[in-house]
Amino acid sequence: ESPLETAPTARVPAPSALTAVEPTRPAPPREETGVPEEDVIRSAEQLRALIAHHASTGGGDLRLGSGVDLELATVDLPPGSWTIAAAPGDHRTRPRLRFHPSPFSSSSTWSALFNLQSGELKLRGVDLIVEDFDRQSMGRLATFALAAGSTLDLTDCTVSLVGQATSPTVAAVVPRRGGNEAAEDGDPPRPVVVRIRDAFLRTVGDAFAAASNQRLDCRLENVVVAADGSLLHAQGGTAPTRDAPALTLQLDRVLARAKGGLVHLEGSIDETELPLTQVDARNTIVSTGGDGSSPLFRVDGRGRTRDLADRIRWTGENVGYHEIAVYRVDDGGQTGVPPQRYSRSEWLNNFVARDESAVVDVDFLDHDAPVRSAKSLSPKNLRLSPRSSSTREGPDFNAVPTPPDADS
């Protein structure tokens, strides 16, 4: 444990330190906790004041009162190590943090609940809800916008993204402001590090999105994911990554229902270099929706199809596959040349180094769950049928929290 997590919490500064006033939903009666009562956060104003107070000391340990429901504008976290957690005590009602983006958000930038340009953010025992119901919205929406070198660590959390935004994602890996990302010796930018355990993620878009020339080191452990897009959607870049992976995705006891597949690499005319991506999965269940038409992996490039072959590396151990007919689709973007589609046997022969003890007849207890919208799903909807031969794989559902209703 870092020294930050055991340090005493400072008193709340005066309200004059606030930069904005935000509405806050009423909180339940105060409970006895191990944190001084005046330091338990019960309003959006109090949260922002404490962040401002701790900014000069390199971060802080902030505690949310049981049952608080805070409406927030974007939180730009100063550099440092930050922990935001449910206060000790009555956890029958988990604290919630909500974000509604501005209706005037730009389509070229991300609107996020938390913006982290550097440092570390830990969240413990919190429900996060990001909503955008503006049907005219053209903005890109994220729970977390993470710049090179930053770290996100979630435990016992739920994240829900619902609404009309064109590109909603749980975590977006974005360029640093000002574009000064490379190290002094000219090396690529440091990766964003994401660690998520005992959690539920649901999004009407992608779970993770990586912008051009960015790097990501992501590990999910005992996590249930419901995404109407991809688990990881990465853009092409201008910097070649032919040797070392720019993106790594480790899945350990994960159930991922991702209609857009596990990984989607997408190049463009100006950004033709697709990032080398390494995916390692063990004791994990994957589904692309159950109708068999969506591929597990998509590689959309702007060159010859054979140049795309080495862009995704996969190793699997005790992985269960739910009704996946197409395992990979490669599209070189050439007029008159159809995408190359690969069945399981073709995928194994052409791209896979190892896929041990795989199960290809996974069945869900709720047969309709894989095809439903993510916003309507919870962990209980995605439990496996006891008749499924893969019940030994996947997450421990007892350790995965249940989210609030998407429309609550």
Side-chain angles (χ1 to χ4, degrees):
E1 297 295 328
S2 70
L4 173 61
E5 297 184 0
T6 59
T9 309
R11 296 291 190 263
V12 180
S16 59
L18 305 181
T19 58
V21 176
E22 299 166 359
T24 302
R25 300 191 178 198
R30 297 179 177 183
E31 71 277 359
E32 294 298 323
T33 73
V35 179
E37 181 57 43
E38 60 268 32
D39 292 338
V40 176
I41 296 170
R42 302 184 185 282
S43 71
E45 297 89 342
Q46 192 180 5
L47 174 61
R48 288 188 176 276
L50 280 169
I51 290 173
H53 179 74
H54 285 287
S56 62
T57 62
D61 189 348
L62 312 179
R63 300 292 173 164
L64 300 172
S66 173
V68 299
D69 194 331
L70 309 185
E71 299 270 4
L72 297 171
T74 295
V75 177
D76 292 305
L77 283 174
S81 181
W82 299 91
T83 298
I84 301 176
D90 184 2
H91 287 171
R92 287 175 296 181
T93 308
R94 294 161 57 93
R96 299 179 185 178
L97 301 180
R98 296 177 182 267
F99 176 64
H100 296 276
S102 166
F104 307 105
S105 299
S106 169
S107 61
S108 62
T109 59
W110 288 94
S111 295
L113 171 55
F114 288 101
N115 182 18
L116 195 61
Q117 288 291 302
S118 64
E120 176 186 43
L121 172 61
K122 297 179 180 179
L123 284 163
R124 303 286 186 264
V126 181
D127 296 326
L128 301 111
I129 304 171
V130 177
E131 303 165 297
D132 178 15
F133 295 113
D134 181 2
R135 294 187 179 275
Q136 305 301 317
S137 174
M138 296 298 293
R140 295 189 290 176
L141 186 61
T143 312
F144 308 95
L146 308 170
S150 61
T151 297
L152 174 67
D153 189 319
L154 306 183
T155 299
D156 187 30
C157 291
T158 72
V159 181
S160 301
L161 284 97
V162 297
Q164 307 297 324
T166 56
S167 303
T169 185
V170 173
V173 182
V174 301
R176 276 192 176 177
R177 292 171 181 167
N180 185 20
E181 300 176 283
E184 292 181 359
D185 57 5
D187 288 340
R190 290 183 299 158
V192 165
V193 176
V194 174
R195 299 289 183 262
I196 303 178
R197 65 189 64 82
D198 298 338
F200 177 64
L201 313 177
R202 65 179 170 188
T203 169
V204 294
D206 302 315
F208 303 98
S212 301
N213 300 322
Q214 303 306 305
R215 300 174 66 204
L216 172 66
D217 174 6
C218 179
R219 178 179 176 86
L220 308 183
E221 182 179 348
N222 204 60
V223 175
V224 177
V225 181
D228 290 341
S230 304
L231 184 64
L232 172 60
H233 186 181
Q235 302 298 317
T238 56
T241 59
R242 310 308 298 185
D243 300 321
L247 310 172
T248 61
L249 186 60
Q250 299 179 64
L251 310 177
D252 187 0
R253 291 178 294 123
V254 169
L255 190 152
R257 197 301 310 262
K259 287 187 176 181
L262 283 186
V263 177
H264 180 194
L265 304 183
E266 186 175 19
S268 66
I269 294 176
D270 298 323
E271 298 168 327
T272 59
E273 292 289 344
L274 298 179
L276 179 58
T277 305
Q278 176 71 47
V279 184
D280 300 306
R282 62 185 300 271
N283 301 324
T284 286
I285 306 296
V286 295
S287 171
T288 59
D291 62 2
S293 63
S294 297
L296 194 62
F297 299 102
R298 289 174 57 191
V299 183
D300 295 337
R302 290 289 176 174
R304 293 170 297 183
T305 303
R306 66 173 177 267
D307 294 333
L308 311 178
D310 67 341
R311 293 298 83 196
I312 301 176
R313 299 173 180 173
W314 165 269
T315 60
E317 179 182 349
N318 295 326
V319 174
Y321 301 89
H322 171 253
E323 296 186 9
I324 298 174
V326 180
Y327 277 70
R328 177 163 164 158
V329 171
D330 288 2
D331 186 353
Q334 296 178 311
T335 303
V337 180
Q340 180 69 52
R341 304 169 70 86
Y342 297 90
S343 65
R344 176 170 176 80
S345 61
E346 294 168 333
W347 174 67
L348 290 172
N349 291 332
N350 287 280
F351 304 108
V352 177
R354 181 166 60 91
D355 193 43
E356 297 179 352
S357 304
V359 176
V360 295
D361 58 351
V362 171
D363 193 16
F364 287 89
L365 189 61
D366 180 349
H367 296 291
D368 294 330
V371 300
R372 286 164 51 189
S373 170
K375 67 174 292 184
S376 68
L377 296 175
S378 68
K380 69 178 182 180
N381 302 125
L382 294 169
R383 289 179 177 268
L384 300 180
S385 168
R387 297 186 299 274
S388 177
S389 58
S390 59
T391 51
R392 71 183 188 279
E393 286 86 33
D396 173 8
F397 282 90
N398 294 325
V400 176
T402 300
D405 291 340
D407 298 326
S408 64

